[in-house]
Amino acid sequence: MYVEVKAKDYINEMVAEPIYDKHSKFATIRDRRKSNGTLVPPVAKLATIDSSEVDGCVTPKQQSSPEHVLPSSQYQKEHNFKVHNFKGLNWCEYCGNFMWGLIAQGVRCADCGLATHKQCSKRVPADCTPDKRLIKRIYGVDLTTVVKAHGHVRPVVIDKCIAELESRGLEAEGLYRIPGLQDDIDLVRQRFDKDGELANIGTKDFPDVNAITGALKLYLRQLPIPLVPFEVYDKFTAAAKIQDDTQKLEALRNANNDLFNNRPAHYHTLKHLVFHLHRITEHRSQNKMNTENLSIVFGPTMLRAPNDQSVIDNLYMLQFQKKLVELMIENHDFLFDK
């Protein structure tokens, strides 16, 4: 009875003066939070990033330079808290108070390792800085988590697959339409999960470019949050339904701007992919892949419908997903101006 009456007041007192930004003797927050946490400039300032750095194919030299790492450190990301059974004595990294109990004493971020009380976790800002040691793979992991953990502008799968395809596969007939062997696609996935940016996907190991295209499409399909996230999905599809062409493009550009402001990692990945698809259409006489063919392939993958939609609604939306990809490819310079 006493706990029920006093618990609320005790919790309020605990979080009244959090040590999250003070690094008291009880806090175990890593120093890197100073550069990647709440003191980082707002995401909107990403507009100052050099566009040539963001849009170009990533080389190993670029990956190791401080200028290449900087943009992803500015991405905001929510913590991925999960109930955790702590061993030994532990203190909350938000309020600095002891975490009582024998089991399920609090929660721990699966991406960066931050440990807090369950109630304190609701007050922690969106400043998660994923630890590479905790991110065991690349496929099936949140896109923003991957780029922040590896310090890249975009996922390494997207960069390396596109670079490989543009070096030797732009004229391959049926590019992205013809499926590769599943065993080869699985091997490419395993190499990225194990070796990351050091994964070897060259001609010697994978002479069939369809294995590379299959691996890229598989990565997009396995994203827990689609390339065009659910929170902006309605804005994109609403733009596709507008009859006036000028208003349609303006609405789609505004939807892209919302994507840039809320999930910049998704925006830069989408932009890089769309520019790549445009370059494919420039070789359509050889590869037989025009804008319409590519939009049929990538529409449902890039603009995955929310899970709460019915099968009928999903089938109905296919036409708008296809139209949106067509518009992006044909008007890439206007729609992606950041």
Side-chain angles (χ1 to χ4, degrees), residues 282-331:
E282 293 177 341
H283 298 265
R284 56 185 173 273
S285 59
Q286 291 87 19
N287 58 39
K288 312 300 180 185
M289 293 300 290
N290 55 25
T291 303
E292 182 180 6
N293 291 338
L294 289 171
S295 65
I296 292 173
V297 173
F298 279 95
T301 303
M302 293 166 56
L303 294 120
R304 194 192 318 158
N307 296 328
D308 58 355
Q309 287 193 357
S310 66
V311 176
I312 300 299
D313 289 337
N314 288 339
L315 292 175
Y316 171 71
M317 294 306 298
L318 285 176
Q319 57 181 315
F320 299 110
Q321 295 168 352
K322 172 178 170 292
K323 184 62 178 177
L324 281 168
V325 177
E326 286 185 20
L327 289 171
M328 290 181 192
I329 296 175
E330 294 171 351
N331 304 276

Side-chain angles (χ1 to χ4, degrees), residues 108-114 130-137:
R108 183 172 182 264
C109 179
D111 297 332
C112 72
L114 180 70
D131 190 332
K132 236 174 141 177
R133 295 171 298 178
L134 299 177
I135 310 300
K136 303 298 185 182
R137 54 196 172 93

Side-chain angles (χ1 to χ4, degrees), residues 148-189:
K148 282 181 71 71
H150 292 266
H152 296 163
V153 177
R154 297 173 298 268
V156 64
V157 174
I158 299 295
D159 278 342
K160 292 206 67 163
C161 286
I162 287 179
E164 187 67 27
L165 290 169
E166 295 194 353
S167 68
R168 62 182 171 102
L170 286 179
E171 296 183 356
E173 185 172 341
L175 192 66
Y176 284 112
R177 177 176 55 82
I178 298 176
L181 294 176
Q182 190 60 48
D183 288 345
D184 289 342
I185 294 173
D186 289 340
L187 184 56
V188 174
R189 175 183 59 79

